Amino acid sequence: MYSLALRVGEMFGLRWANVELPEQGEGLVHIVEQLSRAEKDRYTGLKTSGSERVLPISPELAIELKLQKLRQKEALLKIGMVWNESLPVLSNAVG
């Protein structure tokens, strides 16, 4: 994730709905919102519309994100919850 040079709020505000992971090759990340500490950890739009962007992700990062998605799905199933695309990519400060 660090290779994308995201701001902290953008990184923790990234939801699966904004991540495109193809079967093989590069994917895309759509940066359209952030997690705002000033707003009591709520999702907010970015400061300016110019901050919105689409970033390519390497095949290696795409593989790591697929593994993260799988780990999240498995962890949620263990506690009786269902995964959905509105969930954050990073579950907490340590990922």
Side-chain angles (χ1 to χ4, degrees):
M1 293 292 290
Y2 292 113
S3 65
L4 298 176
L6 301 177
R7 295 174 184 95
V8 172
E10 294 170 344
M11 184 168 50
F12 289 114
L14 184 61
R15 300 186 211 213
W16 287 110
N18 298 320
V19 177
E20 294 180 36
L21 296 172
E23 289 293 320
Q24 294 182 353
E26 294 182 356
L28 295 173
V29 172
H30 300 261
I31 307 302
V32 295
E33 61 186 346
Q34 63 186 344
L35 191 63
S36 174
R37 295 191 67 170
E39 297 291 327
K40 299 187 184 200
D41 291 334
R42 291 187 182 172
Y43 288 93
T44 63
L46 301 174
K47 289 183 181 180
T48 67
S49 60
S51 296
E52 292 185 8
R53 56 206 185 277
V54 178
L55 303 173
I57 56 175
S58 68
E60 295 82 13
L61 181 54
I63 290 168
E64 289 300 318
L65 288 172
K66 288 176 188 176
L67 291 172
Q68 172 70 358
K69 188 186 231 182
L70 181 61
R71 286 189 295 264
Q72 278 187 354
K73 287 180 177 183
E74 290 172 348
L76 288 170
L77 280 175
K78 285 182 182 178
I79 60 172
M81 294 180 68
V82 178
W83 181 91
N84 67 72
E85 288 193 342
S86 68
L87 293 171
V89 172
L90 300 177
S91 305
N92 58 37
V94 294

